[in-house]
């Protein structure tokens, strides 16, 4: 363990702060440890991917006439949906895009294609999930992951996930696309 020295803090205060920081769970930015040999490369890849994703989201939002949001933290956690503004905007645009595709395909009487689904999922704002231990590649702290649809709740019964309730056109598109 590293010894932490901080001006004006007693060893007991440092210990209390370290314990508090250690108790915080969830994604911490970079998906790999900063000590990892490829951390700089991973960060550069993630930043480039995010930049391209945000540009695509903005382009599709403009085409669909969707106003991108910039909410406060309180607004972002309403209805049990904990998401950043970028995640919410991706989900919002994906939902509008899914609505457009469902309307268009129904009107024309044709099936949804893998290209339709892929376009929607490219802009979907996936959450950083540190709880998917069964799919975490070695050395990674989180993966992009979401649960859409109905789930068995840990405490009581069944329910619909908050993103499903908030962005219903995306799971509807997935359900209509899936083979019977």
């Amino acid at each position: 363990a590293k010894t932490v020295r901080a001006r004006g803090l007693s060893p007991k205060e440092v210990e209390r702060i370290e314990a508090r920081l250690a108790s915080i769970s969830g994604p911490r930015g970079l998906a790999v440890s900063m000590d990892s040999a490829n951390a700089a490369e991973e960060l550069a890849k993630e930043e480039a991917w995010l930049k391209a994703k945000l540009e695509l989201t903005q382009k599709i939002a403009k085409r669909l006439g969707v106003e991108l949001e910039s909410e406060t933290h309180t607004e972002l956690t309403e209805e049990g949906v904990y998401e950043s503004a970028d995640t919410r905007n991706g989900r919002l645009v994906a939902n509008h895009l899914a609505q457009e595709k469902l309307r268009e395909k129904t009107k024309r009487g044709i099936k949804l294609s893998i290209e339709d689904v892929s376009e929607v999922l490219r802009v979907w704002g996936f959450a950083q999930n540190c709880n998917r231990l069964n799919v975490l590649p070695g050395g990674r702290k989180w993966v992009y992951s979401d649960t859409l649809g109905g789930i068995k709740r840990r405490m009581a019964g069944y329910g619909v996930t908050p993103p499903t309730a908030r962005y219903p056109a995306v799971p509807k598109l997935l359900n209509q696309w899936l083979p019977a």
Side-chain angles (χ1 to χ4, degrees):
K2 294 180 181 177
T3 302
V4 177
R5 294 176 191 243
R7 290 187 185 153
L9 295 176
S10 71
K12 190 157 189 90
E13 289 170 317
V14 170
E15 185 178 314
R16 192 174 68 243
I17 291 167
E18 286 177 336
R20 174 66 183 124
L21 289 173
S23 74
I24 298 171
S25 64
R28 290 174 176 77
L30 186 59
V32 297
S33 170
M34 290 304 291
D35 298 334
S36 176
N38 66 341
E41 178 185 334
E42 287 287 324
L43 181 59
K45 283 182 359 188
E46 177 72 9
E47 287 176 344
W49 178 81
L50 279 173
K51 182 177 186 248
K53 181 177 175 50
L54 290 173
E55 288 171 357
L56 177 64
T57 301
Q58 290 167 348
K59 178 182 169 187
I60 294 173
K62 186 175 182 180
R63 185 185 89 210
L64 296 174
V66 176
E67 186 176 331
L68 298 178
E69 302 177 8
S70 59
E71 294 105 340
T72 66
H73 177 72
T74 302
E75 292 167 325
L76 290 170
T77 57
E78 65 193 25
E79 300 173 28
V81 180
Y82 300 88
E83 52 195 20
S84 69
D86 289 341
T87 299
R88 178 167 282 187
N89 282 330
R91 291 174 176 186
L92 183 67
V93 171
N95 197 62
H96 279 81
L97 183 58
Q99 287 171 338
E100 177 188 76
K101 291 191 176 295
L102 288 164
R103 203 172 25 252
E104 172 192 326
K105 300 295 176 163
T106 300
K107 184 178 177 183
R108 295 174 56 200
I110 57 177
K111 292 185 176 189
L112 292 161
S113 68
I114 186 69
E115 290 80 15
D116 295 323
V117 173
S118 295
E119 186 178 6
V120 169
L121 292 178
R122 271 190 207 99
V123 294
W124 177 258
F126 285 93
Q128 292 180 355
N129 190 332
C130 61
N131 297 317
R132 296 292 314 274
L133 302 178
N134 59 326
V135 299
L136 278 177
R140 298 194 66 87
K141 295 192 263 181
W142 53 265
V143 292
Y144 286 107
S145 164
D146 271 313
T147 302
L148 292 174
I151 58 167
K152 185 172 190 295
R153 302 223 183 262
R154 290 186 180 128
M155 300 307 278
Y158 295 86
V160 174
T161 65
T164 301
R166 190 174 184 101
Y167 309 101
V170 174
K172 183 175 181 180
L173 176 120
L174 293 172
N175 284 327
Q176 286 190 15
W177 169 73
L178 288 171

